[in-house]
Amino acid sequence: MPIQMTIIVLFGPPGAGKGTQASFLKERFGLVHISTGDVFRSNIKNETALGKLAQSFMDEGNLVPDQVTIDMLSAEVDKNHDANGFLFDGFPRTVAQAEALDVLLDNYQTNITAMVALEVPDQLLVERLLERGKTSGRPDDANTEIIQNRIKAYYTNTAILKSYYESQNKYFGVNGVGSINEITERLQELINSF
Ligand code: AMP
């Protein structure tokens, strides 16, 4: 793995638009996109042991345990050891995961370039997720109570990562309200400045 690589953590609460923006950014910057939620969902679909384990947590809108998630993420990174860079989407979500990611990247003699956070007010998140739930086929998007639980998990476990990366001068907030194109433009401009 080259030492000079772009490694972006795309951050924000559920419904902030991480997945939508990641699909543009990975093409634009030639990054390997790893969405832990997508990997879990594909394991559920394929009825793997990991999928069975993750499902009960995901169905309730709770986080999958750290060690399970970290092991899965490490395996995904190892599979792509020849990548030019990574776009992590939905990971890390806890301090333990952020610390594990630092150790993992350190083993490859590299580190995070930046945490790029999509900032969106809560009310808009619920609206967006319910709208997405009409077509996404995701059970955790279809129910207001589960959505609220996911947002709660974000504030309880994940929001703290803002200060984790701020203390390393690696936190960059982006206004996540606007059209998809407008937000892509803002993100591109920021990532180009790194
Ligand atoms: P997402 O697709 O990012 O919205 O994630 C959907 C669900 O997958 C979450 O509500 C969690 O149950 C689980 N999940 C995804 N990423 C993580 C992670 N980094 N740590 C723990 N659970 C995760």
Side-chain angles (χ1 to χ4, degrees):
M1 212 184 267
I3 294 172
Q4 285 294 337
M5 50 165 32
T6 305
I7 303 180
I8 306 285
V9 171
L10 195 56
F11 188 71
K18 298 186 294 294
T20 304
Q21 294 299 334
S23 59
F24 292 107
L25 297 176
K26 70 172 181 189
E27 299 295 338
R28 169 70 183 75
F29 295 98
L31 305 173
V32 170
H33 172 215
I34 301 181
S35 155
T36 41
D38 284 351
V39 179
F40 285 136
R41 278 184 289 278
S42 116
N43 275 276
I44 290 173
K45 201 167 149 219
N46 294 319
E47 299 181 358
T48 68
L50 175 63
K52 286 189 184 115
L53 201 161
Q55 180 155 29
S56 56
F57 297 96
M58 292 173 72
D59 281 350
E60 299 293 320
N62 293 324
L63 295 184
V64 176
D66 278 333
Q67 202 54 52
V68 175
T69 307
I70 291 164
D71 290 348
M72 180 272 267
L73 188 277
S74 304
E76 292 296 315
V77 170
D78 288 344
K79 268 190 229 165
N80 291 285
H81 60 271
D82 53 352
N84 289 321
F86 288 96
L87 182 61
F88 294 118
D89 159 6
F91 184 95
R93 259 175 156 99
T94 64
V95 172
Q97 292 180 17
E99 288 171 350
L101 182 59
D102 284 347
V103 172
L104 177 71
L105 295 178
D106 198 47
N107 287 339
Y108 285 110
Q109 294 172 294
T110 188
N111 54 57
I112 293 289
T113 310
M115 164 177 270
V116 175
L118 287 168
E119 297 173 338
V120 178
D122 284 356
Q123 186 47 40
L124 200 53
L125 298 176
V126 179
E127 283 171 26
R128 283 186 185 177
L129 289 167
L130 285 170
E131 190 58 35
R132 182 170 85 185
K134 291 179 189 166
T135 53
S136 71
R138 282 181 54 171
D140 62 344
D141 282 345
N143 172 309
T144 313
E145 211 175 304
I146 294 171
I147 289 175
Q148 296 290 5
N149 205 29
R150 289 164 62 200
I151 295 173
K152 188 168 146 239
Y154 172 80
Y155 283 109
T156 310
N157 301 294
T158 309
I160 182 101
L161 292 180
K162 176 177 178 179
S163 35
Y164 183 90
Y165 288 99
E166 258 173 355
S167 70
Q168 304 176 21
N169 294 321
K170 288 186 175 177
Y171 179 90
F172 298 85
V174 170
N175 178 5
V177 182
S179 72
I180 291 176
N181 277 342
E182 280 165 350
I183 299 165
T184 309
E185 290 288 320
R186 289 173 202 152
L187 290 166
Q188 280 187 11
E189 198 181 325
L190 173 65
I191 295 172
N192 273 324
S193 74
F194 295 145

